[in-house]
Amino acid sequence: MVFCYFKIQKGPGGLTFCLPLIRSDPAAFESRLEKRSEFRKQPVGHSRQGDFIKCVEQKTLGKQPVSRGFTKDKTLSSIFNIEMVKDKTAEEIKQIWQQYFAAKDTVYAVIPKEKFDLIWNRAQSCPTFLCALPRREGYEFFVGQWTGTELHFTALINIQTRGEAAASQLILYHYPELKEEKGIVLMTAEMDSTFLSVAEAQCMANQVQLFYATDRKETYGLVETFNFRPNEFKYMSVIAELEQSGLGAELKCSQNQNKT
């Protein structure tokens, strides 16, 4: 049996909208959502959902406070001696970066210049997006917002309940200082461990590349739709892409094992 729950919330600006709490089969969930929408004369992915997305962009994202424990203006020089690696190759710097963070409980990466340039160029025109994080039962949505080379994530429910006071729960820091000379961009992260595990943060970081660095037009099209045609955006499309990619499968498996 499929259970679908909807919680009515007051969003920024007094907007009323429904948050789907997905408990099992996504296809069945969408069918139930469509039936509910027909009953309320409110088409799926239109009107109130679009208004809410616009409201998120205009009134909340970009203004959200950084959570307690996060580093303000976290620079590369504060964690890495750039002068000492100037004579190193990109591969050597990559190994140093990975060795440094391997023993730390965080997310990190070394991104090739070409891939980062693609992500960065797309982020300029589409700075906001929604990603889905697999939970033990269903999915939780997080809103991502680019602020310079920092990418802030906040749970959608936080924005619904706290509005402009919603704090970042995950920040991805991208450092392009070595991009032109070495052809790499260094990335690391900080997260609120009371809300996210490292595995969950990694899943969200992987979705940045899934949606922003993809060659598949349909996948990046979801990002464009969210930013430019919010009335056409459907939450279930994000879940479908995530499941097709397999990115959340390992996380879902570990969550189920912990449950048992």
Side-chain angles (χ1 to χ4, degrees):
M1 181 177 291
V2 176
F3 296 91
C4 298
Y5 301 90
F6 294 83
K7 187 175 182 180
I8 305 299
Q9 296 283 358
K10 285 287 186 178
L15 290 176
T16 302
F17 53 91
C18 294
L19 172 68
L21 300 180
I22 305 168
R23 294 291 173 150
S24 55
D25 181 40
F29 167 80
E30 187 169 27
S31 175
R32 287 282 298 274
L33 181 57
E34 289 174 347
K35 290 179 181 179
R36 177 185 174 91
S37 299
E38 290 173 1
F39 175 76
R40 296 183 61 188
K41 305 300 182 182
Q42 188 69 34
V44 177
H46 287 70
S47 190
R48 293 188 188 277
Q49 178 173 293
D51 289 343
F52 170 64
I53 292 171
K54 290 177 181 177
C55 197
V56 166
E57 294 174 331
Q58 294 171 0
K59 295 188 176 182
T60 304
L61 295 173
K63 298 181 180 180
Q64 56 192 24
V66 174
S67 297
R68 185 184 307 171
F70 283 66
T71 305
K72 185 177 181 181
D73 300 325
K74 188 181 180 73
T75 63
L76 180 59
S77 59
S78 67
I79 55 176
F80 201 65
N81 192 326
I82 302 176
E83 293 299 321
M84 289 186 65
V85 300
K86 281 192 172 181
D87 60 340
K88 304 290 186 182
T89 66
E91 184 59 32
E92 288 172 332
I93 296 173
K94 178 179 179 180
Q95 291 177 3
I96 294 171
W97 189 256
Q98 292 175 337
Q99 289 172 2
Y100 177 77
F101 285 104
K104 299 182 182 298
D105 230 13
T106 190
V107 174
Y108 58 93
V110 178
I111 307 171
K113 175 184 182 301
E114 295 74 16
K115 180 170 288 188
F116 179 79
D117 284 344
L118 177 60
I119 294 173
W120 180 247
N121 289 335
R122 287 175 167 177
Q124 302 314 295
S125 57
C126 297
T128 310
F129 191 54
L130 198 74
C131 69
L133 182 64
R135 293 300 195 185
R136 288 181 179 178
E137 295 183 352
Y139 295 83
E140 182 176 7
F141 290 106
F142 282 77
V143 179
Q145 169 74 32
W146 287 88
T147 303
T149 54
E150 295 180 4
L151 180 52
H152 293 242
F153 285 97
T154 301
L156 179 57
I157 189 66
N158 278 352
I159 297 175
Q160 293 174 337
T161 57
R162 305 194 65 186
E164 294 184 12
S168 300
Q169 293 172 301
L170 170 66
I171 304 176
L172 302 182
Y173 301 97
H174 301 84
Y175 300 109
E177 284 91 333
L178 302 173
K179 181 167 70 77
E180 298 305 326
E181 184 179 351
K182 305 295 183 179
I184 56 175
V185 172
L186 304 176
M187 186 274 281
T188 187
E190 288 184 328
M191 72 201 76
D192 188 335
S193 59
T194 61
F195 293 97
L196 293 170
S197 67
V198 174
E200 290 167 342
Q202 183 66 64
C203 181
M204 292 168 63
N206 289 341
Q207 289 185 60
V208 179
Q209 296 202 31
L210 171 65
F211 289 105
Y212 279 90
T214 180
D215 293 327
R216 188 170 179 268
K217 184 181 297 185
E218 293 81 1
T219 303
Y220 178 62
L222 294 178
V223 183
E224 293 180 309
T225 300
F226 188 88
N227 283 269
F228 298 117
R229 302 183 303 280
N231 288 338
E232 301 174 17
F233 183 80
K234 293 187 179 181
Y235 295 98
M236 290 304 301
S237 299
V238 176
I239 294 175
E241 286 291 335
L242 180 62
E243 293 188 339
Q244 182 177 339
S245 72
L247 285 180
E250 184 176 348
L251 177 60
K252 196 79 171 178
C253 181
S254 65
Q255 290 172 339
N256 290 334
Q257 289 176 347
N258 292 336
K259 184 178 180 181
T260 56

